[in-house]
Amino acid sequence: MLLEKRTEREIDQELVSRAQAGDKRAFELLVAKYQRRIARLLSRLIRDPGEIEDVTQEAFIKAYRALPSFRGESAFYTWLYRIAINTAKNYLASLGRRPQLSADYEDEDGETLDAAAQIPDYHTPESELANREIVRTVNEVVETLPDELRTAITLREMEGLSYEDIASVMNCPIGTVRSRIFRAREAISAKLKPLLETVGKDRRW
């Protein structure tokens, strides 16, 4: 008899339940599973690697302390993302800074904000220059977005979260998430259009 394959959410919930019961090893497994992903998320908001590491650790400490209040109404990683984002925003606010986007857009697991992927790569100096210019432009536009738009587009395009998960992370209706992502994409598209036309790609981002 084949056993039904458990979902990631079910596996996480089992680990959470064990951690809530006092099994520290279970929480360590959750940290090992999500530490790199949380650090990558925070790298979109904070530039300094040392600060990213510190804030990532602080986020997991806060998650561990808040674990008794986790009821499984959302996926664990959605709950963890919310804690991580709030931790980063509070950290930056304490320094009088606002979140900034890293120019490094590599993301092995989810979607990316690398608009250069929209143009064919012929491995020519011209195309590589155009790609770098597009990435730089996207980065600059995202950095100027209000925090709500920046967070929404980061979670969607860089982390590949669903609209439902983003709504849970940002604690707002799905309609608001769609509106924020639409507005962010409109801002990016307006800046990218001249560049895309230059390389023969007159299309929306």
Side-chain angles (χ1 to χ4, degrees):
M1 179 179 178
L2 293 177
L3 295 177
E4 183 179 354
K5 185 177 180 180
R6 293 185 301 169
T7 65
E8 285 298 310
R9 181 166 178 168
E10 289 171 340
I11 294 171
D12 285 355
Q13 185 56 54
E14 178 182 330
L15 290 172
V16 168
S17 297
R18 286 166 49 189
Q20 288 174 327
D23 184 347
K24 292 185 178 181
R25 174 59 180 162
F27 189 75
E28 289 174 0
L29 291 173
L30 288 168
V31 172
K33 181 177 181 180
Y34 289 112
Q35 187 169 22
R36 188 170 175 219
R37 195 169 177 184
I38 291 298
R40 187 171 61 242
L41 169 67
L42 295 183
S43 73
R44 315 303 182 185
L45 307 174
I46 304 170
R47 289 188 185 278
D48 184 85
E51 292 181 338
I52 293 169
E53 182 178 352
D54 290 344
V55 176
T56 298
Q57 291 179 358
E58 184 179 351
F60 276 106
I61 290 172
K62 287 185 176 180
Y64 183 74
R65 290 173 177 167
L67 205 58
S69 67
F70 179 71
R71 296 288 178 260
E73 295 174 357
S74 63
F76 173 75
Y77 76 84
T78 302
W79 180 77
L80 182 61
Y81 270 32
R82 185 188 306 130
I83 290 175
I85 288 175
N86 288 337
T87 301
K89 290 173 70 173
N90 291 339
Y91 171 77
L92 292 172
S94 71
L95 299 177
R97 289 153 50 188
R98 69 190 298 265
Q100 300 199 11
L101 260 285
S102 167
D104 180 4
Y105 285 90
E106 294 182 3
D107 186 341
E108 4 179 292
D109 299 331
E111 303 172 53
T112 72
L113 195 59
D114 186 356
Q118 291 201 9
I119 65 177
D121 183 6
Y122 298 113
H123 301 291
T124 65
E126 292 79 10
S127 68
E128 291 177 5
L129 179 62
N131 287 355
R132 287 197 298 270
E133 180 67 13
I134 287 172
V135 171
R136 184 186 65 79
T137 300
V138 170
N139 186 49
E140 289 179 350
V141 175
V142 174
E143 285 187 357
T144 65
L145 294 174
D147 288 347
E148 293 79 8
L149 303 191
R150 186 203 324 243
T151 299
I153 198 72
T154 296
L155 291 174
R156 178 62 179 172
E157 303 297 347
M158 294 178 182
E159 292 301 320
L161 266 64
S162 67
Y163 287 100
E164 291 79 6
D165 285 341
I166 296 172
S168 179
V169 168
M170 300 189 72
N171 194 27
C172 66
I174 291 180
T176 301
V177 170
R178 293 185 185 279
S179 174
R180 289 173 178 175
I181 291 174
F182 175 80
R183 287 159 57 196
R185 285 175 171 164
E186 284 287 287
I188 294 169
S189 179
K191 291 291 185 180
L192 280 186
K193 188 175 181 181
L195 287 175
L196 295 178
E197 288 175 342
T198 299
V199 293
K201 274 286 186 179
D202 184 12
R203 57 180 289 185
R204 291 176 58 83
W205 177 77

